[in-house]
Amino acid sequence: MDPVQTGANDDSNGLHVNVSINGIVNDKILLFSFDVPFIYDFILPQGDIKLIGDCLGTNESTQIYIDDIQQLNLTININDKQTTLLFTPFNQIKNSKLYIIVNDKKSNVFQIDSSFFVKLSPLSPSVLGETVNITLYNVNILNDNNLPTLTFIDNTTIQGIDNLNSNEYSNHTYSFEIPIGCGRNGISISIGNQTTLSELYYELPIITSCSIDNYQIIRCFGNFTNYLNFYENDKINILFSNSIDEIYLPTNSIDFKFDSFSFQLNKKYKTNQVYLNVCNELLPINNIEYNSTVQTPQPTIINTIKPHLNSSSKQKIKQKKNQF
């Protein structure tokens, strides 16, 4: 089914849409309207602002307003499902009102304060667990004698250890022992009466190369030793996804080893519509090369050679036929 917009591009209500199915076009008038964008929450990963909501638009169409002033020349990144919007503010935002406009539709107004934020190093810790240094920015002097606490969504808490890297109370670094895990995790960090929301996402495996053979088997190579346990616990699978639908290939249909994994390509999808799903984080499987080392059996062709008959042989055959 191919929707074709015939209305004006700058009008978000009552758009006329033609729908064709296998070349047959519907002649009735269909109207299409964009939904109203809505902001549920925000977090501050690495000091950036990440809005969480619905119908947040696209990188090209969405406009951001702070205290009723449009923020021009911002680089924004909106995911495919239009549920997250990430941007870097020119200046830290303190107790300001933020909203967005998408296709002439205004979202709800959300109170934003990004003055207290944190930065993680490394940004993506090992899935086996690792010490992560977290720097807190703009700490209130009243909280100087407190130690920060990191809390995961499942209420697991980790106490920070002062690195004694500076006598500056407002920007200070603490170390946290991050446990085994994978995927993207929402976290909150509190010190005294200050709290900020951020996220921690564990490192993804690195795929070095992939190939596909004549039997449509895709095989990828890399170092997946640290991810075998997650595979055994059904946290790794394959996603086929296009603009129409998506299908997850179950774990038992994947041959997952420490140095490679392989699976059968679904015929409905192209090789650029395949993802390795690691704890709900999608890793595109790109640059798949054709591997011709596996040859499809070819039918044997037998050439029939007709005998060449000279004139005397032809005469003998003709005489034999006349005898019958």
Side-chain angles (χ1 to χ4, degrees):
M1 182 171 67
D2 300 318
V4 181
Q5 178 178 320
T6 60
N9 290 332
D10 58 353
D11 185 9
S12 62
N13 293 301
L15 296 177
H16 287 214
V17 178
N18 290 337
V19 179
S20 64
I21 302 176
N22 296 327
I24 302 175
V25 180
N26 176 56
D27 57 359
K28 295 183 179 180
I29 296 177
L30 299 177
L31 298 180
F32 172 81
S33 297
F34 291 99
D35 206 348
V36 178
F38 193 86
I39 302 171
Y40 296 112
D41 205 347
F42 75 96
I43 61 176
L44 304 174
Q46 299 297 98
D48 294 336
I49 295 179
K50 187 174 186 178
L51 305 179
I52 302 170
D54 282 325
C55 306
L56 300 182
T58 64
N59 298 343
E60 296 77 20
S61 66
T62 300
Q63 301 170 351
I64 299 175
Y65 287 79
I66 298 175
D67 291 332
D68 293 323
I69 299 175
Q70 184 178 356
Q71 305 300 296
L72 301 174
N73 301 318
L74 277 180
T75 299
I76 64 176
N77 188 355
I78 299 176
N79 67 345
D80 292 339
K81 295 183 178 181
Q82 301 186 20
T83 55
T84 63
L85 185 161
L86 180 71
F87 71 95
T88 302
F90 295 119
N91 299 295
Q92 293 304 319
I93 301 171
K94 187 171 183 178
N95 295 324
S96 295
K97 296 179 180 179
L98 180 148
Y99 61 87
I100 64 173
I101 293 180
V102 182
N103 297 307
D104 296 327
K105 300 275 190 178
K106 180 181 176 181
S107 74
N108 58 313
V109 178
F110 213 87
Q111 191 79 16
I112 296 282
D113 190 324
S114 67
S115 56
F116 174 57
F117 62 94
V118 300
K119 290 188 177 182
L120 286 67
S121 179
L123 181 60
S124 299
S126 167
V127 293
L128 300 181
E130 185 177 357
T131 300
V132 172
N133 292 320
I134 301 180
T135 301
L136 282 61
Y137 292 86
N138 302 321
V139 177
N140 191 305
I141 190 173
L142 298 177
N143 299 322
D144 182 30
N145 294 323
N146 294 290
L147 287 177
T149 300
L150 184 153
T151 304
F152 285 88
I153 292 180
D154 64 359
N155 291 324
T156 298
T157 59
I158 304 171
Q159 190 76 42
I161 300 173
D162 193 341
N163 284 355
L164 301 176
N165 62 309
S166 171
N167 292 325
E168 172 63 40
Y169 72 87
S170 62
N171 301 337
H172 205 77
T173 302
Y174 302 83
S175 61
F176 294 80
E177 294 300 322
I178 303 300
I180 295 174
C182 73
R184 189 178 298 264
N185 296 262
I187 59 173
S188 67
I189 296 179
S190 302
I191 182 168
N193 60 359
Q194 290 178 283
T195 299
T196 185
L197 301 178
S198 187
E199 60 185 0
L200 179 151
Y201 45 94
Y202 289 89
E203 64 179 355
L204 291 171
I206 297 176
I207 299 174
T208 56
S209 65
C210 291
S211 63
I212 183 169
D213 63 25
N214 290 355
Y215 298 107
Q216 300 295 287
I217 299 295
I218 294 178
R219 185 178 301 278
C220 295
F221 297 91
N223 185 354
F224 311 113
T225 302
N226 294 344
Y227 300 87
L228 290 173
N229 182 59
F230 299 106
Y231 167 75
E232 293 169 357
N233 286 281
D234 296 327
K235 292 185 177 181
I236 293 180
N237 54 36
I238 296 295
L239 171 67
F240 300 109
S241 177
N242 55 31
S243 58
I244 300 175
D245 58 10
E246 58 184 29
I247 297 176
Y248 283 94
L249 189 66
T251 300
N252 57 12
S253 298
I254 308 168
D255 184 15
F256 198 90
K257 302 177 181 178
F258 73 94
D259 61 349
S260 68
F261 64 88
S262 59
F263 57 94
Q264 178 84 44
L265 176 65
N266 189 305
K267 294 181 179 180
K268 291 177 55 180
Y269 299 88
K270 300 177 181 179
T271 54
N272 62 350
Q273 299 171 336
V274 185
Y275 303 84
L276 179 67
N277 180 27
V278 182
C279 298
N280 297 319
E281 283 296 293
L282 298 181
L283 181 61
I285 300 177
N286 295 323
N287 302 321
I288 300 176
E289 297 181 357
Y290 179 70
N291 183 2
S292 60
T293 57
V294 180
Q295 297 292 335
T296 302
Q298 299 294 324
T300 303
I301 300 176
I302 302 176
N303 292 321
T304 303
I305 303 177
K306 294 183 179 181
H308 177 71
L309 301 178
N310 56 30
S311 59
S312 60
S313 299
K314 290 180 180 179
Q315 184 65 27
K316 290 179 181 180
I317 292 174
K318 186 175 181 180
Q319 290 175 356
K320 287 184 177 182
K321 286 184 178 179
N322 290 336
Q323 294 176 358
F324 292 94

